[in-house]
Amino acid sequence: MKPVLLSGDEAVARGAFEAGCAVAAAYPGTPSTEILENLARYENVWCQWGSNEKVALEIALGASIGGARALAAMKHVGLNVAADPLLSMGYAGVNGGLVVVSADDPGCHSSQNEQDNRLYAPLAKVAMVEPSDSEECRTYIRAAFDLSEAFDTPVLFRMTTRVCHSKSLVVPGVPRDPAMKPYVRNTGKFALLPTVARVRHRLVEEKLLALEEYANTSPLNRIEWGASREVGIITSGIAYQHAREVFGDGASYLKLGLTFPLPSKLIRTFARSVSRLYVIEEGEPYLETKVRLLGFDCIGKELVPLCGELDAGILRAAFLPQPSPAGQKEDAPALPVAPPRPPVLCAGCPHRGFYAALGRRKKSVVGVGDIGCYGLGVNPPLEGFDYSICMGSSFSSAIGFSRALAQRGDARKVFAILGDSTFFHSGIPGLVDAVHLGANVCCCILDNRITAMTGHQETPGTARDLMGNEVVPVDVVALVKATGLPEERIRVVDPLDLAATGAAMDEAIAAQGPFVIVSRRPCVLLKDVAKSFEGQWCEVDQELCRQCRQCLKIGCPAIASKEGRIVIDDPVLCTGCGLCMQVCPFGAIRKGGSAR
Amino acid sequence: MSGREERNILLVGVGGQGTILTSKILSQGLVDLGYDVKMSEIHGMAQRGGSVSTQIKYGRKIYAPNIGPGEADLLVAFEKAEALRWFPWLRKGGILVLDPREIYPVPVLTGEATYPENVVESLSAVVENLRVIEAAKVANELGSPRSQNMVLLGALVSLLGLEGAAWKDLVARFVPPKARDVNLLAFERGAALAMR
């Protein structure tokens, strides 16, 4: 077939399809989201979003036990949520091949940390495979399914942002027949009671020895001898590409694709054959630790940064220092500084209305945030919450936080904020405890009907699933009511109605104990919603405007102070949501007319 | 490809300006021309008005997908202040294509930061090859502000001497059918502007 340009995520989907993967599940998370979105387009693969990563992996592991080849995909922090099934599945092994994709985010392009999930493989005692470009994504995922069945182990398929989101040429292969394995009841393998688990643990250790033996000869691990054996580089994943770019054909490489268990014999052979040994890897000194354990001295993390994303420039500066090529003419004057451009809530975003109302009650409220678009509400000028740690932590942590505030005599009400997708993901248990324990917390669900931050993936509240089938939309408010919280402590508001949203907040502040506000309006970027706003805008009447700048405090990218006037002058941006009209004390903003 | 093995193109702008679509068309054209191509983009915050970049490397054989400081042969800035931000990525002697369109970031809107003045003048004092292409203005004149990206694509194809590919077919394939004609016109206008 003709080579095509595919991203790593697209190539994983292609490879999984070719490998006969029959069931796949994921929770959306950058940079992994596009794997399931693309896999869902192939015939004969049942693809669905799980409400969180643990659910997604458990869907996949159930399918594996039932005899299907199955895949689960998630971002690196999602694997923390799914760690429980992963670690026990390591003991149980598989029936149909089981591949767990972890997409790590070195550099925190869109994440709260840059954890290196290679460290999960030894902890979970599962095989690990790492691709370095799109074609390897396709071929290695096929290899990972084969490996999973051959060695009776789940395979951790570890990618990083630059592998997931870089496009390179892929030659599509012929799909394998998605043959199902027979299912036979086997409690000695899959019913992990203590008596079984103890036996399985010994078996896993034996299996890992066999896997390591195989890793020494696997085609996924290869030596590329260069023109000289002076410098030898041990590397894996995207770091291989950076190393090749910098050291070229002059150096020799041990390029590792099967990175747990690591191939001791192969590493020894390579290390003994070169004069100077470099270990070049992004993130933790995972390979380096093994090389040192095998008794070889090497240069690794003393030159290659532990923090942040790696690139060829960083390696060049570290290993081949020379004056950096300046882009400027000689004796060039200094340039003006570019102003910061942080990501913002879109013009017309319903979350802005919620934060605008909350901002007017700052003296009596402390906000606690979570992971999603509404997380952008922490930035000025909204400054809607004080902290945000990990997905689903706002409701639960607010229970403890409110307790600590009360203990120190701080009377402010804690408003815990999360979105509908996050509510289904891991917010529900926090709500259950807040209600059950009578916590003095207002739990706010910013329900925009979709997983917006990652690009509009369906949630359990959506009437359609990933494959386009009509499904039952799970009702957020009904779930809240089911906790037993009295109806007078539950409010559903339209966040673009500032007065109504504010009134609900005042009730929550006045009430002692748990309260729930569901702030409900669909994401403005949803196609049908965007269409309903088409041709709408707001405009500023310069005669009435007194330059009080209240409208600028809602942080809308469509409204600006330019040349001494407040203006809405972008023909595309403004949706006419009317929030600025509601905050203007002088009635100087109105809906646009045909004059424009 | 005379002398060097590869070329690096960096497209920078503000989320929503269509840098990713431009890169997709450009990459496909380069594949059609027989090059090895790698394109790198960062998602996640792209639709949220943040600073965005897409990176394209092409040549006989490409390894690393991303472009570091001082490595871009061509820097295409879809917005004026973004040209300043990404200028250090331009290599000595590289070409800077700049659309002088201004999009104020929120810190400027709220008065915490100021939008820089004399950007084009300052850059022309330090960049040997600066090409100002008023792509947003042209797109507005065509009655399609969103086609700014196709004006810039036309300009950069012309500047890089990549005319050999069926660019118009690619543009027609990648843009929504409703906007096809205006985008083709935008592409032509951009190519013409760059040749001047």
Side-chain angles (χ1 to χ4, degrees):
Chain A
M1 265 206 229
K2 227 177 100 181
V4 286
L5 261 186
L6 295 184
S7 71
D9 282 354
E10 290 165 337
V12 164
R14 174 74 208 181
F17 162 67
E18 290 176 7
C21 174
V23 172
Y27 182 78
T30 312
S32 71
T33 313
E34 294 84 353
I35 295 171
L36 257 274
E37 287 182 326
N38 281 282
L39 191 49
R41 292 182 188 145
Y42 291 102
E43 294 275 313
N44 302 326
V45 197
W46 190 80
C47 288
Q48 296 295 352
W49 301 120
S51 56
N52 64 36
E53 294 85 353
K54 175 169 146 64
V55 173
L57 177 49
E58 287 161 351
I59 289 173
L61 79 81
S64 162
I65 292 171
R69 284 194 162 190
L71 174 144
M74 57 205 67
K75 70 181 293 172
H76 60 335
V77 288
L79 194 57
N80 301 334
V81 179
D84 199 1
L86 178 70
L87 266 68
S88 294
M89 209 49 191
Y91 277 26
V94 304
N95 184 18
L98 176 64
V99 176
V100 183
V101 181
S102 167
D104 296 8
D105 189 18
C108 294
H109 292 285
S110 46
S111 306
Q112 65 267 39
N113 74 24
E114 49 183 355
Q115 68 186 51
D116 184 341
N117 277 4
R118 292 180 300 172
L119 302 184
Y120 264 115
L123 183 64
K125 301 185 180 294
V126 299
M128 174 165 61
V129 169
E130 281 183 82
S132 75
D133 64 12
S134 297
E135 177 63 359
E136 284 185 357
C137 284
R138 184 188 72 83
T139 56
Y140 283 19
I141 203 112
R142 291 189 70 154
F145 275 108
D146 293 342
L147 202 65
S148 173
E149 287 174 2
F151 287 90
D152 189 16
T153 173
V155 175
L156 180 63
F157 196 81
R158 192 263 189 171
M159 305 167 75
T160 55
T161 301
R162 286 292 165 185
V163 174
C164 295
H165 283 171
S166 294
K167 294 198 180 212
S168 56
L169 290 169
V170 168
V171 186
V174 181
R176 167 192 181 274
D177 178 28
M180 300 285 295
K181 288 212 158 181
Y183 171 69
V184 181
R185 182 172 190 258
N186 187 350
T187 51
K189 179 167 159 62
F190 289 118
L192 288 180
L193 303 171
T195 45
V196 174
R198 280 183 215 118
V199 177
R200 296 301 306 175
H201 187 184
R202 288 180 196 285
L203 291 175
V204 173
E205 298 302 336
E206 287 168 18
K207 199 181 337 184
L208 289 178
L209 292 176
L211 251 171
E212 183 184 332
E213 212 35 55
Y214 169 74
N216 287 306
T217 55
S218 164
L220 301 185
N221 295 328
R222 62 174 190 259
I223 293 176
E224 296 174 0
W225 293 117
S228 135
R229 297 194 180 184
E230 172 66 22
V231 171
I233 297 168
I234 301 179
T235 182
S236 73
I238 194 67
Y240 162 75
Q241 304 288 352
H242 298 316
R244 284 253 29 162
E245 169 123 359
V246 172
F247 295 93
D249 295 332
S252 296
Y253 302 85
L254 172 56
K255 197 275 192 192
L256 297 172
L258 173 49
T259 47
F260 186 77
L262 282 163
S264 300
K265 276 186 206 157
L266 190 63
I267 292 172
R268 280 200 193 96
T269 305
F270 183 75
R272 285 186 185 131
S273 312
V274 298
S275 313
R276 265 181 301 156
L277 190 61
Y278 298 164
V279 177
I280 296 182
E281 60 190 322
E282 208 168 46
E284 299 296 323
Y286 170 74
L287 303 175
E288 181 180 341
T289 303
K290 176 72 176 183
V291 170
R292 290 190 187 281
L293 270 173
L294 291 172
F296 296 100
D297 198 17
C298 61
I299 293 174
K301 285 295 160 188
E302 57 267 60
L303 288 185
V304 183
L306 190 69
C307 305
E309 192 179 27
L310 204 56
D311 67 33
I314 291 169
L315 288 184
R316 212 171 278 126
F319 286 90
L320 314 164
Q322 50 184 268
S324 66
Q328 304 194 1
K329 291 179 189 168
E330 305 299 322
D331 304 321
L335 284 168
V337 177
R341 194 184 295 278
V344 291
L345 295 174
C346 306
C349 174
H351 299 329
R352 178 174 291 104
F354 176 87
Y355 284 122
L358 195 66
R360 296 178 160 196
R361 289 158 182 82
K362 260 188 192 143
K363 285 198 180 119
S364 33
V365 162
V366 195
V368 172
D370 217 295
I371 309 295
C373 283
Y374 45 88
L376 298 173
V378 73
N379 292 327
L382 296 169
E383 296 178 324
F385 57 86
D386 286 14
Y387 73 84
S388 148
I389 303 298
C390 65
M391 200 144 187
S393 64
S394 64
F395 288 1
S396 32
S397 75
I399 298 170
F401 185 60
S402 66
R403 186 65 220 160
L405 291 188
Q407 204 97 358
R408 58 195 306 140
D410 188 331
R412 288 179 296 171
K413 181 96 179 185
V414 177
F415 272 54
I417 301 155
L418 48 69
D420 48 334
S421 190
T422 302
F423 177 65
F424 291 119
H425 176 280
S426 47
I428 294 171
L431 174 70
V432 167
D433 281 358
V435 173
H436 175 61
L437 303 173
N440 189 23
V441 171
C442 177
C443 295
C444 306
I445 303 163
L446 275 50
D447 181 2
N448 63 358
R449 317 302 298 155
I450 206 79
T451 318
M453 187 60 134
T454 42
H456 291 163
Q457 290 74 33
E458 296 76 13
T459 75
T462 317
R464 200 182 53 242
D465 70 9
L466 171 61
M467 302 177 74
N469 307 310
E470 274 188 33
V471 287
V472 176
V474 177
D475 186 346
V476 169
V477 179
L479 277 176
V480 174
K481 285 180 183 165
T483 62
L485 188 66
E487 292 218 15
E488 64 267 22
R489 287 177 170 269
I490 304 168
R491 292 286 173 275
V492 181
V493 296
D494 174 358
L496 289 185
D497 182 342
L498 262 190
T501 304
M505 287 174 176
D506 290 337
E507 284 186 81
I509 293 164
Q512 270 301 312
F515 204 95
V516 168
I517 296 177
V518 179
S519 165
R520 176 170 281 173
R521 183 175 263 273
C523 172
V524 71
L525 295 185
L526 284 168
K527 269 197 183 119
D528 47 335
V529 179
K531 214 168 185 132
S532 74
F533 276 112
E534 217 167 81
Q536 292 192 47
W537 60 82
C538 291
E539 58 191 17
V540 183
D541 185 327
Q542 298 300 334
E543 307 243 310
L544 294 176
C545 176
R546 308 273 181 87
Q547 298 280 337
C548 71
R549 301 171 80 87
Q550 284 298 315
C551 56
L552 298 181
K553 292 191 177 154
I554 59 174
C556 176
I559 188 161
S561 169
K562 281 188 180 172
E563 289 149 10
R565 300 160 71 217
I566 305 292
V567 290
I568 298 170
D569 68 349
D570 193 299
V572 183
L573 218 46
C574 178
T575 64
C577 79
L579 194 65
C580 52
M581 293 166 58
Q582 296 174 59
V583 299
C584 177
F586 305 105
I589 309 178
R590 56 170 181 249
K591 292 267 178 171
S594 54
R596 184 160 169 181
Chain B
M1 219 68 354
S2 60
R4 275 172 66 234
E5 288 271 308
E6 65 181 56
R7 287 278 178 276
N8 299 338
I9 305 173
L10 185 60
L11 308 178
V12 302
V14 178
Q17 277 192 295
T19 53
I20 289 181
L21 181 67
T22 313
S23 311
K24 276 184 185 161
I25 299 175
L26 185 58
S27 307
Q28 188 55 52
L30 291 165
V31 170
D32 294 348
L33 286 169
Y35 293 111
D36 187 23
V37 177
K38 280 193 179 173
M39 166 191 159
S40 179
E41 58 190 59
I42 299 296
H43 300 211
M45 308 282 188
Q47 273 181 317
R48 312 298 182 271
S51 167
V52 297
S53 72
T54 58
Q55 325 196 343
I56 298 162
K57 300 175 74 158
Y58 66 100
R60 202 171 48 79
K61 170 73 190 162
I62 303 297
Y63 289 103
N66 43 337
I67 299 168
E71 291 179 355
D73 296 283
L74 180 69
L75 171 62
V76 185
F78 286 50
E79 199 273 347
K80 205 161 69 174
E82 293 310 307
L84 278 182
R85 189 184 323 282
W86 290 94
F87 165 72
W89 269 252
L90 190 66
R91 77 167 169 81
K92 196 176 167 69
I95 305 171
L96 170 60
V97 174
L98 164 63
D99 186 340
R101 171 178 195 191
E102 293 179 358
I103 301 175
Y104 283 11
V106 164
V108 170
L109 298 179
T110 56
E112 276 175 278
T114 52
Y115 197 88
E117 291 180 359
N118 305 321
V119 173
V120 176
E121 294 77 1
S122 310
L123 281 169
S124 66
V126 296
V127 181
E128 289 168 36
N129 301 310
L130 173 68
R131 295 297 304 265
V132 176
I133 305 278
E134 292 187 295
K137 197 175 151 203
V138 170
N140 276 332
E141 285 166 10
L142 293 174
S144 167
R146 286 188 199 274
S147 67
Q148 178 206 9
N149 56 348
M150 290 305 111
V151 179
L152 286 168
L153 178 66
L156 75 91
V157 161
S158 164
L159 281 169
L160 289 170
L162 294 171
E163 285 86 353
W167 292 107
K168 287 190 178 177
D169 293 349
L170 288 171
V171 172
R173 208 167 91 202
F174 279 84
V175 302
K178 217 169 62 177
R180 199 179 67 188
D181 292 346
V182 74
N183 275 297
L184 287 172
L185 206 55
F187 179 87
E188 278 174 21
R189 291 285 299 275
L193 279 175
M195 274 186 287
R196 247 179 244 162

